[in-house]
Amino acid sequence: VNSTADNRIHHAVIEYADTPNGMIGLDDSRLELDHVVFDHTEQRRIRAKDSELVIRNSIFTDIVSDSPPTGEGQSQHIWVDGVPAGGQLIFENNRFGRTAGESDSVRVLAARQPVKLPQVLNNLFVGGGGGALDWQGDAYIEGNRFVDFVHDPADEDPPVLNTISASAGDIYVVRNVFDQVEHAALVSEDASVTFINNTVVSHQAALYFDLPGQTTGPGRGARVVGSIF
């Protein structure tokens, strides 16, 4: 809390801290994580409020939970609300395991510029009950592999699984692979997407712009270049 010094956790295993405030919680702080394994919890691994966060080369194991999970809607690997002006938000070369319930792997409510452009680079997302990225704000997303974001057909009331959900900001999606997903991206409300040189294998529309009953309206549009569907 209120720690903007050069905080670092490198080469660590963090496990068994089961709380909606996160195995690691940040408020108005700064943290760099490198080669960290997060394991054995049903709820959030990292919760960051108005903080700068850099995560590299780390493993977020599957979130294995009861049915329904005790952390329903709070079982994200990472939850971020706000980044300070000039602060960094970088997720690079990590592995994100499956999530429980309908929780997204990563949920970010990030301010738009002049915050440094948040970056999601060269990560592996291996599916789950929700989408991979639920993002409000600007972002640059490159070189990631998103696998198996498809709802369970045995679920009587399945959610609509969007690999990326964008409802605000300008999202740049470049050179990613979407492998066996339901939708690559939902672009709604105040969001737009620039979608360049991606490969998508999807079960439904790769890109769509409104979800009646769950969004307030369609997004501002998309620019799609050099991609394979």
Side-chain angles (χ1 to χ4, degrees):
V1 175
N2 298 325
S3 179
T4 56
D6 188 16
N7 301 302
R8 303 183 186 189
I9 302 175
H10 288 196
H11 298 280
V13 175
I14 299 175
E15 55 187 348
Y16 295 112
D18 197 36
T19 162
N21 292 322
M23 304 177 88
I24 295 175
L26 300 169
D27 287 276
D28 298 299
S29 296
R30 176 185 178 193
L31 178 63
E32 176 187 288
L33 299 162
D34 198 335
H35 287 92
V36 177
V37 176
F38 294 88
D39 201 1
H40 297 108
T41 183
E42 292 186 359
Q43 300 188 71
R44 292 171 178 156
R45 273 78 192 273
I46 299 173
R47 174 197 171 277
K49 174 75 172 175
D50 297 325
S51 295
E52 180 173 352
L53 181 62
V54 176
I55 308 173
R56 292 188 171 99
N57 307 310
S58 295
I59 296 174
F60 295 78
T61 64
D62 293 353
I63 296 179
V64 178
S65 183
D66 300 330
S67 182
T70 57
E72 184 67 43
Q74 295 184 339
S75 295
Q76 303 95 354
H77 295 300
I78 301 171
W79 182 90
V80 175
D81 185 0
V83 180
Q88 296 187 98
L89 184 63
I90 300 174
F91 309 141
E92 183 175 12
N93 197 35
N94 304 294
R95 184 188 188 278
F96 294 95
R98 298 185 67 86
T99 53
E102 298 179 10
S103 294
D104 300 292
S105 298
V106 176
R107 188 174 189 206
V108 172
L109 312 172
R112 300 183 67 176
Q113 304 295 347
V115 170
K116 292 181 181 178
L117 188 62
Q119 299 174 58
V120 182
L121 308 172
N122 303 317
N123 302 282
L124 172 63
F125 294 83
V126 296
L133 301 173
D134 184 355
W135 207 283
Q136 297 181 30
D138 299 334
Y140 184 79
I141 302 165
E142 180 179 5
N144 304 280
R145 186 176 184 90
F146 303 96
V147 181
D148 196 28
F149 284 94
V150 179
H151 70 75
D152 184 352
D155 190 337
E156 295 181 358
D157 185 23
V160 176
L161 283 194
N162 311 302
T163 309
I164 299 172
S165 295
S167 56
D170 297 311
I171 308 295
Y172 301 89
V173 183
V174 182
R175 286 184 287 274
N176 301 277
V177 173
F178 298 82
D179 186 2
Q180 301 297 333
V181 301
E182 190 163 19
H183 301 281
L186 167 63
V187 184
S188 65
E189 301 169 18
D190 190 37
S192 72
V193 64
T194 300
F195 200 84
I196 299 176
N197 295 345
N198 298 286
T199 300
V200 181
V201 179
S202 61
H203 293 229
Q204 298 188 34
L207 303 176
Y208 71 125
F209 298 90
D210 199 7
L211 188 58
Q214 297 190 39
T215 60
T216 61
R220 291 183 286 118
R223 179 172 181 261
V224 181
V225 178
S227 294
I228 299 171
F229 298 95

Coordinates of all heavy atoms in Angstrom, one line a residue, residues 143-188:
G143 N 1.5 -11.3 -30.3 CA 2.2 -12.5 -30.2 C 1.7 -13.5 -29.2 O 2.4 -14.5 -28.8
N144 N 0.4 -13.4 -28.8 CA -0.1 -14.3 -27.8 C -0.8 -15.5 -28.5 O -1.2 -15.4 -29.7 CB -1.2 -13.6 -27.0 CG -0.6 -12.4 -26.3 OD1 0.1 -12.5 -25.3 ND2 -0.8 -11.2 -26.8
R145 N -1.0 -16.6 -27.8 CA -1.8 -17.7 -28.3 C -2.9 -18.0 -27.3 O -2.7 -18.1 -26.1 CB -0.9 -19.0 -28.4 CG -1.6 -20.2 -29.0 CD -0.7 -21.4 -29.2 NE -1.4 -22.5 -29.9 CZ -1.3 -22.7 -31.2 NH1 -0.7 -21.8 -31.9 NH2 -2.0 -23.7 -31.7
F146 N -4.1 -17.9 -27.9 CA -5.4 -18.1 -27.1 C -6.0 -19.4 -27.6 O -6.3 -19.6 -28.7 CB -6.3 -17.0 -27.4 CG -5.8 -15.6 -27.0 CD1 -5.3 -14.8 -28.0 CD2 -5.8 -15.1 -25.8 CE1 -4.8 -13.5 -27.8 CE2 -5.4 -13.8 -25.5 CZ -4.8 -13.0 -26.5
V147 N -6.2 -20.4 -26.6 CA -6.6 -21.7 -27.0 C -7.9 -22.1 -26.2 O -7.9 -21.9 -25.0 CB -5.5 -22.7 -26.7 CG1 -5.9 -24.1 -27.1 CG2 -4.2 -22.4 -27.4
D148 N -8.9 -22.6 -26.9 CA -10.0 -23.3 -26.2 C -10.9 -22.4 -25.4 O -11.3 -22.8 -24.3 CB -9.5 -24.5 -25.4 CG -10.6 -25.5 -25.0 OD1 -11.6 -25.6 -25.8 OD2 -10.5 -26.1 -24.0
F149 N -11.2 -21.2 -25.9 CA -12.2 -20.4 -25.2 C -13.6 -20.6 -25.9 O -14.1 -19.9 -26.7 CB -11.8 -18.9 -25.3 CG -10.6 -18.6 -24.3 CD1 -9.3 -18.6 -24.8 CD2 -10.9 -18.3 -23.0 CE1 -8.3 -18.4 -23.9 CE2 -9.9 -18.0 -22.1 CZ -8.6 -18.1 -22.5
V150 N -14.2 -21.8 -25.5 CA -15.4 -22.2 -26.0 C -16.3 -22.7 -24.8 O -15.7 -23.4 -23.9 CB -15.3 -23.4 -27.0 CG1 -16.6 -23.8 -27.5 CG2 -14.4 -22.9 -28.2
H151 N -17.5 -22.3 -24.7 CA -18.4 -22.7 -23.6 C -18.6 -24.2 -23.6 O -18.5 -24.9 -24.6 CB -19.7 -22.0 -23.6 CG -20.6 -22.4 -24.7 ND1 -21.3 -23.6 -24.7 CD2 -21.0 -21.8 -25.8 CE1 -22.1 -23.7 -25.7 NE2 -21.9 -22.6 -26.4
D152 N -18.8 -24.7 -22.4 CA -19.1 -26.2 -22.2 C -20.5 -26.5 -22.7 O -21.5 -25.9 -22.2 CB -18.9 -26.5 -20.7 CG -19.1 -28.0 -20.5 OD1 -19.5 -28.7 -21.4 OD2 -18.9 -28.4 -19.3
P153 N -20.7 -27.3 -23.7 CA -22.0 -27.6 -24.2 C -22.9 -28.3 -23.2 O -24.1 -28.3 -23.3 CB -21.7 -28.5 -25.4 CG -20.4 -29.1 -25.2 CD -19.6 -28.0 -24.5
A154 N -22.3 -28.9 -22.1 CA -23.1 -29.5 -21.1 C -23.8 -28.4 -20.2 O -24.6 -28.7 -19.4 CB -22.3 -30.4 -20.3
D155 N -23.3 -27.2 -20.2 CA -23.8 -26.1 -19.4 C -25.2 -25.7 -20.0 O -25.3 -25.3 -21.1 CB -22.8 -24.9 -19.5 CG -23.2 -23.8 -18.4 OD1 -24.4 -23.8 -18.0 OD2 -22.3 -23.1 -18.1
E156 N -26.2 -25.8 -19.1 CA -27.6 -25.5 -19.6 C -27.8 -24.0 -19.9 O -28.6 -23.6 -20.7 CB -28.6 -25.9 -18.6 CG -28.6 -27.4 -18.3 CD -29.7 -27.8 -17.3 OE1 -30.3 -26.9 -16.7 OE2 -29.8 -29.0 -17.1
D157 N -27.0 -23.1 -19.3 CA -27.1 -21.7 -19.5 C -25.7 -21.1 -19.8 O -25.1 -20.4 -19.0 CB -27.7 -21.0 -18.3 CG -28.0 -19.5 -18.6 OD1 -28.0 -19.1 -19.8 OD2 -28.0 -18.7 -17.6
P158 N -25.1 -21.5 -20.9 CA -23.7 -21.2 -21.1 C -23.5 -19.7 -21.3 O -24.3 -19.0 -21.9 CB -23.3 -22.0 -22.4 CG -24.6 -22.1 -23.1 CD -25.7 -22.2 -22.1
P159 N -22.4 -19.1 -20.9 CA -22.0 -17.8 -21.2 C -21.6 -17.7 -22.6 O -21.2 -18.7 -23.3 CB -20.9 -17.5 -20.2 CG -20.2 -18.8 -20.0 CD -21.3 -19.8 -20.1
V160 N -21.6 -16.4 -23.2 CA -21.0 -16.2 -24.5 C -19.5 -15.9 -24.2 O -19.1 -15.0 -23.5 CB -21.6 -15.0 -25.2 CG1 -20.9 -14.7 -26.5 CG2 -23.1 -15.3 -25.4
L161 N -18.7 -16.8 -24.8 CA -17.2 -16.7 -24.5 C -16.6 -15.8 -25.6 O -16.5 -16.2 -26.7 CB -16.6 -18.0 -24.4 CG -16.8 -18.8 -23.1 CD1 -15.9 -20.0 -23.0 CD2 -16.7 -18.0 -21.9
N162 N -16.1 -14.7 -25.1 CA -15.3 -13.8 -26.0 C -13.9 -13.9 -25.5 O -13.6 -13.6 -24.4 CB -15.8 -12.3 -25.8 CG -17.3 -12.2 -26.0 OD1 -17.9 -12.6 -27.0 ND2 -18.0 -11.7 -24.9
T163 N -13.0 -14.2 -26.4 CA -11.6 -14.3 -26.0 C -11.1 -12.9 -25.5 O -10.5 -12.8 -24.5 CB -10.7 -14.8 -27.2 OG1 -11.3 -16.0 -27.8 CG2 -9.3 -15.1 -26.8
I164 N -11.4 -11.9 -26.3 CA -11.2 -10.5 -25.8 C -12.5 -9.8 -25.8 O -13.2 -9.8 -26.8 CB -10.2 -9.8 -26.8 CG1 -8.8 -10.5 -26.8 CG2 -10.0 -8.3 -26.4 CD1 -7.9 -10.0 -27.9
S165 N -12.8 -9.1 -24.7 CA -14.0 -8.3 -24.6 C -13.4 -6.8 -24.4 O -12.8 -6.6 -23.4 CB -14.8 -8.7 -23.4 OG -15.4 -9.9 -23.6
A166 N -13.8 -6.0 -25.3 CA -13.3 -4.6 -25.2 C -14.6 -3.7 -25.2 O -15.4 -3.7 -26.1 CB -12.4 -4.2 -26.4
S167 N -14.7 -2.8 -24.2 CA -15.9 -1.9 -24.1 C -15.5 -0.5 -24.0 O -16.3 0.4 -23.9 CB -16.8 -2.3 -22.9 OG -16.0 -2.3 -21.7
A168 N -14.2 -0.2 -24.0 CA -13.7 1.2 -24.0 C -12.3 1.2 -24.5 O -11.5 0.2 -24.2 CB -13.8 1.8 -22.6
G169 N -11.9 2.2 -25.2 CA -10.5 2.4 -25.6 C -10.2 1.9 -27.0 O -11.0 1.4 -27.7
D170 N -8.9 2.0 -27.4 CA -8.4 1.6 -28.7 C -7.5 0.4 -28.4 O -6.5 0.5 -27.7 CB -7.6 2.7 -29.3 CG -8.5 3.9 -29.6 OD1 -9.6 3.7 -30.2 OD2 -8.1 5.0 -29.3
I171 N -7.9 -0.8 -29.0 CA -7.2 -2.0 -28.8 C -6.5 -2.4 -30.1 O -7.1 -2.5 -31.1 CB -8.2 -3.1 -28.4 CG1 -9.1 -2.7 -27.2 CG2 -7.5 -4.4 -28.1 CD1 -8.4 -2.5 -25.9
Y172 N -5.2 -2.7 -30.0 CA -4.4 -3.1 -31.1 C -4.1 -4.6 -30.9 O -3.4 -4.9 -29.9 CB -3.1 -2.3 -31.2 CG -3.4 -0.8 -31.4 CD1 -3.6 0.0 -30.2 CD2 -3.6 -0.2 -32.6 CE1 -3.9 1.4 -30.4 CE2 -3.9 1.1 -32.8 CZ -4.0 1.9 -31.6 OH -4.3 3.3 -31.8
V173 N -4.5 -5.4 -31.8 CA -4.4 -6.9 -31.7 C -3.5 -7.3 -32.9 O -4.0 -7.3 -34.1 CB -5.7 -7.6 -31.7 CG1 -5.6 -9.1 -31.6 CG2 -6.6 -7.0 -30.6
V174 N -2.3 -7.7 -32.7 CA -1.3 -7.9 -33.8 C -0.6 -9.3 -33.6 O -0.1 -9.6 -32.6 CB -0.3 -6.8 -33.7 CG1 0.7 -6.9 -34.9 CG2 -0.9 -5.4 -33.8
R175 N -0.6 -10.1 -34.7 CA 0.2 -11.3 -34.8 C -0.1 -12.3 -33.6 O 0.8 -12.8 -33.0 CB 1.7 -11.0 -34.9 CG 2.1 -10.5 -36.3 CD 3.6 -10.2 -36.4 NE 4.0 -9.1 -35.6 CZ 4.0 -7.8 -36.0 NH1 3.6 -7.6 -37.3 NH2 4.4 -6.8 -35.3
N176 N -1.4 -12.5 -33.4 CA -1.8 -13.5 -32.4 C -2.4 -14.7 -33.1 O -2.9 -14.6 -34.2 CB -2.9 -12.8 -31.4 CG -2.3 -11.6 -30.7 OD1 -1.6 -11.7 -29.7 ND2 -2.6 -10.4 -31.2
V177 N -2.5 -15.8 -32.3 CA -3.2 -17.0 -32.8 C -4.4 -17.2 -31.9 O -4.2 -17.4 -30.6 CB -2.3 -18.2 -32.9 CG1 -3.1 -19.5 -33.2 CG2 -1.2 -18.0 -33.9
F178 N -5.6 -17.4 -32.4 CA -6.8 -17.7 -31.7 C -7.2 -19.1 -32.2 O -7.6 -19.3 -33.3 CB -7.9 -16.7 -32.0 CG -7.6 -15.3 -31.6 CD1 -6.9 -14.5 -32.4 CD2 -8.1 -14.8 -30.4 CE1 -6.6 -13.2 -32.0 CE2 -7.9 -13.5 -30.0 CZ -7.1 -12.7 -30.8
D179 N -7.0 -20.1 -31.4 CA -7.1 -21.5 -31.8 C -8.3 -22.1 -31.1 O -8.3 -22.3 -29.9 CB -5.8 -22.3 -31.4 CG -5.8 -23.7 -31.9 OD1 -6.8 -24.1 -32.6 OD2 -4.8 -24.4 -31.6
Q180 N -9.4 -22.5 -31.8 CA -10.6 -23.1 -31.3 C -11.2 -22.2 -30.2 O -11.3 -22.5 -29.0 CB -10.3 -24.5 -30.8 CG -9.7 -25.4 -31.8 CD -10.7 -25.7 -32.9 OE1 -11.9 -25.6 -32.8 NE2 -10.2 -26.1 -34.1
V181 N -11.7 -21.0 -30.7 CA -12.3 -20.1 -29.8 C -13.8 -19.9 -30.3 O -14.1 -20.2 -31.4 CB -11.6 -18.8 -29.7 CG1 -10.2 -19.0 -29.2 CG2 -11.6 -18.0 -31.0
E182 N -14.6 -19.4 -29.4 CA -16.0 -19.1 -29.8 C -16.1 -17.8 -30.6 O -16.6 -17.7 -31.7 CB -16.9 -19.0 -28.6 CG -18.4 -19.0 -29.0 CD -19.3 -19.3 -27.8 OE1 -18.8 -19.3 -26.6 OE2 -20.5 -19.6 -28.0
H183 N -15.5 -16.7 -30.0 CA -15.4 -15.4 -30.6 C -14.0 -14.9 -30.3 O -13.5 -15.1 -29.2 CB -16.4 -14.4 -30.1 CG -17.8 -14.8 -30.3 ND1 -18.5 -14.7 -31.5 CD2 -18.7 -15.3 -29.4 CE1 -19.7 -15.0 -31.3 NE2 -19.9 -15.4 -30.1
A184 N -13.3 -14.3 -31.3 CA -12.0 -13.7 -31.0 C -12.2 -12.5 -30.2 O -11.4 -12.2 -29.2 CB -11.3 -13.4 -32.3
A185 N -13.1 -11.6 -30.6 CA -13.3 -10.4 -29.9 C -14.7 -9.8 -30.0 O -15.3 -9.9 -31.0 CB -12.3 -9.3 -30.4
L186 N -15.2 -9.3 -28.9 CA -16.4 -8.5 -28.8 C -15.9 -7.0 -28.6 O -15.2 -6.7 -27.7 CB -17.3 -8.9 -27.6 CG -18.4 -7.9 -27.3 CD1 -19.4 -7.8 -28.4 CD2 -19.1 -8.4 -26.0
V187 N -16.4 -6.2 -29.6 CA -15.9 -4.8 -29.6 C -17.2 -3.9 -29.4 O -18.0 -3.7 -30.4 CB -15.2 -4.4 -30.9 CG1 -14.7 -2.9 -30.8 CG2 -14.1 -5.3 -31.1
S188 N -17.5 -3.5 -28.2 CA -18.8 -2.8 -27.9 C -18.6 -1.4 -27.3 O -17.4 -1.0 -27.0 CB -19.6 -3.7 -26.9 OG -18.9 -3.8 -25.7

